[in-house]
Amino acid sequence: MKYQIIPVTPFQQNCTLLWCEETQQAAIVDPGGEPALLISAIEAQGVKLAKVLLTHGHLDHVGAATEIAQHYGVPIVGPHKDDSFLLESLAEQSARFGLENCTAFVPDRWLDEGDSVSFGNQTLFVRHTPGHTPGHIIFFSASAKLASVGDVLFCGGIGRTDFPRGNYSDLISSIREKLWPLGNDVQFIPGHGPMSTFGDERQTNPFVADRL
């Protein structure tokens, strides 16, 4: 599996294009905005988009989801249904942050712990990881040892929990109980900032290192 990280919007949110090398089928994770830029990136890679995948319902992760899905005629998959209140309030989120208006939508499929999504010959496994938002999920490729973790974990940091229905204890539990068991050698793409590995964060992250 190959991938391309495409930062979008003033929040520099890491939208990620994933694709199967054998079939050239692709999925795009968290298209937070700038649909023209994302369409250009998809076309430049010459891949066939099969799915739009969402880790959670914050505007900077879903702002272009509907436009991308409609452009390619593909479904929106995820997040967990506990983030439905965020997707219902996208117009209010747009006004609050001064971004282009984003209307409410319902994904074609909600995801839950233990679900999986596929494109081409690739399968991503779903873990429900509440804390930053109640319906946050992550996508994990066991074959590529790669995880798309949204705003759960960052290189040297963790997701904020001061947004509506955020919960610090839930976030820490999600990281330690859902991410760490996937393996120290797993690389992860966070919602913002540079990539890292779970092993490096277990050693050095000031919020969730094993020594704490």
Side-chain angles (χ1 to χ4, degrees):
M1 184 173 71
K2 289 194 171 184
Y3 64 89
Q4 179 186 358
I5 299 172
I6 312 160
V8 293
T9 81
F11 293 101
Q12 287 296 281
Q13 188 274 319
N14 287 335
C15 174
T16 305
L17 180 66
L18 307 167
W19 68 93
C20 170
E21 294 177 78
E22 291 85 8
T23 66
Q24 295 299 294
Q25 284 207 10
I28 196 163
V29 182
D30 287 357
E34 300 186 68
L37 173 65
L38 298 180
I39 291 169
S40 177
I42 293 167
E43 300 302 317
Q45 291 294 352
V47 296
K48 180 177 175 59
L49 194 71
K51 289 179 173 71
V52 173
L53 305 178
L54 303 179
T55 63
H56 64 291
H58 283 156
L59 173 66
D60 59 322
H61 290 253
V62 308
T66 299
E67 289 179 70
I68 297 295
Q70 290 177 348
H71 182 86
Y72 288 100
V74 300
I76 299 174
V77 181
H80 185 281
K81 61 185 176 182
D82 284 351
D83 267 13
S84 59
F85 76 103
L86 289 170
L87 298 181
E88 291 165 1
S89 68
L90 285 171
E92 292 87 339
Q93 290 187 56
S94 303
R96 186 182 316 129
F97 292 108
L99 296 178
E100 185 175 345
N101 182 60
C102 181
T103 56
F105 66 89
V106 177
D108 296 279
R109 177 187 171 194
W110 298 107
L111 292 173
D112 206 346
E113 177 77 20
D115 286 345
S116 63
V117 293
S118 299
F119 54 95
N121 298 328
Q122 299 296 319
T123 298
L124 303 178
F125 298 97
V126 175
R127 298 290 179 267
H128 182 208
T129 51
H132 178 65
T133 69
H136 201 298
I137 59 173
I138 65 106
F139 298 98
F140 172 59
S141 168
S143 59
K145 294 187 177 181
L146 180 72
S148 294
V149 303
D151 286 354
V152 173
L153 180 70
F154 302 110
C155 179
I158 58 174
R160 291 175 58 174
T161 56
D162 57 336
F163 293 123
R165 295 182 61 186
N167 186 291
Y168 179 81
S169 295
D170 286 350
L171 182 69
I172 299 302
S173 294
S174 290
I175 293 169
R176 291 182 169 155
E177 297 173 13
K178 300 292 183 68
L179 301 191
W180 292 169
L182 299 178
N184 289 340
D185 57 346
V186 172
Q187 286 189 299
F188 69 90
I189 302 170
H192 307 265
M195 294 177 65
S196 182
T197 68
F198 292 153
D200 285 345
E201 298 310 304
R202 292 183 73 166
Q203 290 184 4
T204 63
N205 192 299
F207 300 95
V208 286
D210 288 350
R211 58 182 166 76
L212 298 175

